[in-house]
Amino acid sequence: MRSVTYSMSVSTDGYVTGPDGGLDWGFPDEETFRLATEEVRGAGVHLMGRRLYETMLYWEGADQNPSLTFSTREFATLWRALPKVVFSTTLSAVTGNARLASGSLAQEIERLRAEPDGGDIAIGGAALAAEAAAADLIDEYRLRVYPVLLGGGTPFFPHRGRHVDLELVETRPLGARVVYHRYRVLR
């Protein structure tokens, strides 16, 4: 069965965006970027909300920019090819290798788990991940922890009073600043 994974950069105090919604604190170095590329390579589909979809539109054509590094172009090529499902009540159309979700998050994940295609079902965006976590649909949490305290913002983990036991599967430093943690949900 395909695993559902939630992976994002997170501040040491647990936020994926700052109080103003900004992401300027978490620019990846080369090693962190390579990890993100590995994760995209291992995904069979990526689920996201409107805000993340609009942020990631940059990558749909970035591989055509000759001034970018090889790793950046490689990420863009993989990202563009990756099927995406966008959950939005405000968008009427999406571009590239994306489609608007036709069912609820739980229905989409159930349908995707039943497909014979390989690869993880990746979830990006804290709001969508919070919905998946509340329904106990996430199998792995993957954090790239940056050494910054934001003091507020959007939390990586939803605060919904639900106890979830996790098993540490992997941890490693990425460059001189970031630490990667991968946890499996114990059921």
Side-chain angles (χ1 to χ4, degrees), residues 45-48 60 79-86 97-99:
V45 63
H46 201 286
L47 313 181
M48 64 185 74
E60 290 297 324
W79 180 259
R80 189 175 62 213
L82 181 65
K84 296 158 209 72
V85 180
V86 181
N97 196 8
R99 68 173 175 82

Side-chain angles (χ1 to χ4, degrees), residues 1 114 128:
M1 181 185 320
L128 193 62

Side-chain angles (χ1 to χ4, degrees), residues 53-126:
Y53 167 73
E54 289 174 344
T55 299
M56 297 301 287
L57 279 174
Y58 165 80
W59 294 104
E60 290 297 324
D63 60 336
Q64 303 304 310
N65 184 344
S67 68
L68 296 179
T69 65
F70 169 77
S71 61
T72 307
R73 285 193 317 273
E74 180 186 27
F75 176 87
T77 299
L78 291 167
W79 180 259
R80 189 175 62 213
L82 181 65
K84 296 158 209 72
V85 180
V86 181
F87 292 81
S88 174
T89 58
T90 58
L91 293 175
S92 59
V94 292
T95 62
N97 196 8
R99 68 173 175 82
L100 286 169
S102 57
S104 70
L105 179 59
Q107 290 168 332
E108 287 285 348
I109 288 174
E110 182 180 344
R111 186 184 63 71
L112 290 166
R113 282 190 199 252
E115 287 181 356
D117 296 343
D120 293 333
I121 300 167
I123 293 181

Side-chain angles (χ1 to χ4, degrees), residues 8 37 44 68-69 72-73 77 82 87-88 114 122-123 131 133 141 143-144 151 154-155 161 174 177 180 183:
M8 288 188 74
T37 302
L68 296 179
T69 65
T72 307
R73 285 193 317 273
T77 299
L82 181 65
F87 292 81
S88 174
I123 293 181
E131 183 181 339
Y141 291 89
L143 299 82
R144 295 177 301 274
T154 305
L174 299 172
R177 298 187 32 149
Y180 174 69
Y183 294 96

Side-chain angles (χ1 to χ4, degrees), residues 6-10 16 52 123-126 142-145 156:
Y6 170 40
S7 177
M8 288 188 74
S9 296
V10 59
V16 297
L52 183 60
I123 293 181
R142 299 172 179 180
L143 299 82
R144 295 177 301 274
V145 182
F156 178 91

Side-chain angles (χ1 to χ4, degrees), residues 4-21:
V4 176
T5 64
Y6 170 40
S7 177
M8 288 188 74
S9 296
V10 59
S11 66
T12 299
D13 57 350
Y15 297 98
V16 297
T17 67
D20 63 352

